[in-house]
Amino acid sequence: METISENRCFDGTQGVHKHPSDACNCDMTFGLFLPQEAQFTKVPLLWYLSGLTCTHENAMTKAGAQVWAAEQGIGLIFPDTSPRGEDVANDDAYDLGKGAGFYVNATQDPWAPHFQMYDYIADELPALVAKNFSIDMDRQGITGHSMGGHGALTLAMTRPGQFQSVSAFAPICHPTNSDWGKKQLGAYLGEDTSNWAAHDSTLLMKDRGFDGPILIDTGTDDQFGDLLGTEHLAAAIAERRQNAQIRLQPGYDHSYFFVSTFIEDHVAFHAQALYE
C-alpha cells in the first residue's frame, strides 16, 4: 500500500492511499480519516460510499464529515466508486463504467474482469484497513449518497453482522424498477432479472430487513426524485416494521449542499450505534 498524502485535520489525520486490488484487478485509491483517538486505541469506522461520477475525493472534500467524526471519535473511509486504469472498460455515458460501479460484482463482458466492487467493499478493503490501521472492525457503520446510498443499504442487508448501522442520502431505493438501475444491472449482471434482487434495497427489505437502525434523508426538491423510488422503500419498511427513519427534507436537492447540511446528524446517528 502506498500513502499518497496525509494532512492534519481536526487533530486527526486525513490520508489518501493507493493499493493493488485483487478483486478489481487494478490499483484502487481510498481516503481514510483517523481521529486523534486512533493514536492510542482502535476506533469505530464509518464507510461513506459516493455516487455516480465520483471518486474517493468528492465526499472527502465536500461533505464536511471530518469535523463531526473527530467530535465522535470515529474513523471515516471514502472508497472509490469503480475500478480505474487504461485497461478498465468504460462507456461514453456518465452512468455506466468508470465512476459508476453500482457496488456489484459484474458477471458480463466487458465489465467482469475489473468491476467487482461488491467484493472490494465487503471483503478486500476491510481486510486491508484492519491490517494497516487502528480500526475496530467489530464496530462498523455504512452510509452513502445516491448510488452510494444504494450500495450502503444493499451491503448492510446482505452482510448481516458486518455493519451495526446504515444510513443514506437520497439513495437509489428500487433500482430494478428505475432507469437508474435497470440499465446498469442489466449491463453488469445480465438480462436475467432474478440476479438483480440482491442489489435492490426495497426487495431486500421485504425479504430480510436489517438487524439495526436505519436513517435516510431525501430532499423534496431532488431533481432525480423520480429515479430514486423512496416511496417503494418506505412502504417496505412500514410493512416489515423495520427500525428506520425516512426524512423528507423540504427544499433540498441532490447536491453536496444537501449532504453537508445533514452529515452531522448521520455521523451522530452512527456514533450512537457504534458506541452502544
Side-chain angles (χ1 to χ4, degrees):
M1 187 182 69
E2 173 188 354
T3 297
I4 297 174
S5 64
E6 286 186 328
N7 296 94
R8 189 75 168 161
C9 183
F10 297 106
D11 294 326
T13 302
Q14 177 62 64
V16 176
H17 310 277
K18 183 169 71 173
H19 70 102
S21 166
D22 291 333
C24 295
N25 194 27
C26 64
D27 286 345
M28 296 292 287
T29 302
F30 66 95
L32 179 66
F33 170 76
L34 293 174
Q36 61 178 339
E37 288 87 344
Q39 300 175 42
F40 314 106
T41 188
K42 291 186 176 183
V43 297
L45 183 64
L46 176 59
W47 293 77
Y48 186 104
L49 305 185
S50 292
L52 288 167
T53 75
C54 291
T55 69
H56 70 281
E57 191 173 23
N58 295 73
M60 187 180 78
T61 59
K62 293 181 180 179
Q66 291 91 338
V67 61
W68 309 116
E71 183 177 274
Q72 299 288 352
I74 64 177
L76 285 171
I77 188 165
F78 305 96
D80 203 347
T81 57
S82 78
R84 308 278 176 178
E86 291 184 4
D87 61 338
V88 174
N90 199 19
D91 190 90
D92 290 338
Y94 76 95
D95 58 354
L96 188 67
K98 293 178 184 178
F102 258 74
Y103 305 101
V104 304
N105 289 336
T107 59
Q108 307 299 301
D109 290 331
W111 313 107
H114 297 285
F115 282 74
Q116 304 296 311
M117 288 300 295
Y118 183 95
D119 282 353
Y120 177 68
I121 298 296
D123 294 312
E124 185 178 26
L125 189 52
L128 182 77
V129 168
K131 180 179 178 180
N132 289 280
F133 301 99
S134 184
I135 296 293
D136 181 356
M137 301 305 287
D138 290 329
R139 293 186 291 165
Q140 297 182 76
I142 189 166
T143 188
H145 175 221
S146 193
M147 178 186 72
H150 140 80
L153 290 166
T154 56
L155 277 155
M157 284 189 273
T158 57
R159 301 286 293 201
Q162 185 165 344
F163 304 101
Q164 281 67 61
S165 50
V166 59
S167 72
F169 300 88
I172 302 170
C173 298
H174 198 12
T176 63
N177 193 47
S178 169
D179 288 340
W180 267 2
K182 288 188 285 187
K183 172 184 176 179
Q184 294 83 1
L185 296 177
Y188 295 140
L189 303 178
E191 295 305 316
D192 183 353
T193 57
S194 66
N195 295 324
W196 301 2
H199 302 286
D200 185 307
S201 59
T202 296
L203 300 180
L204 288 168
M205 180 59 63
K206 292 178 179 179
D207 180 56
R208 65 184 74 181
F210 177 64
D211 187 20
I214 298 174
L215 172 63
I216 295 171
D217 278 315
T218 298
T220 61
D221 286 2
D222 193 306
Q223 60 270 45
F224 304 111
D226 291 344
L227 297 168
L228 301 180
T230 310
E231 66 277 14
H232 300 290
L233 180 58
I237 284 172
E239 182 178 350
R240 190 171 190 86
R241 297 185 179 273
Q242 168 74 44
N243 176 12
Q245 298 179 67
I246 295 182
R247 309 189 305 187
L248 300 179
Q249 302 292 358
Y252 284 90
D253 59 18
H254 201 73
S255 69
Y256 270 101
F257 297 110
F258 157 66
V259 172
S260 62
T261 300
F262 298 103
I263 192 69
E264 178 185 4
D265 290 355
H266 285 245
V267 173
F269 163 81
H270 287 283
Q272 182 176 2
L274 297 176
Y275 276 112
E276 281 186 348

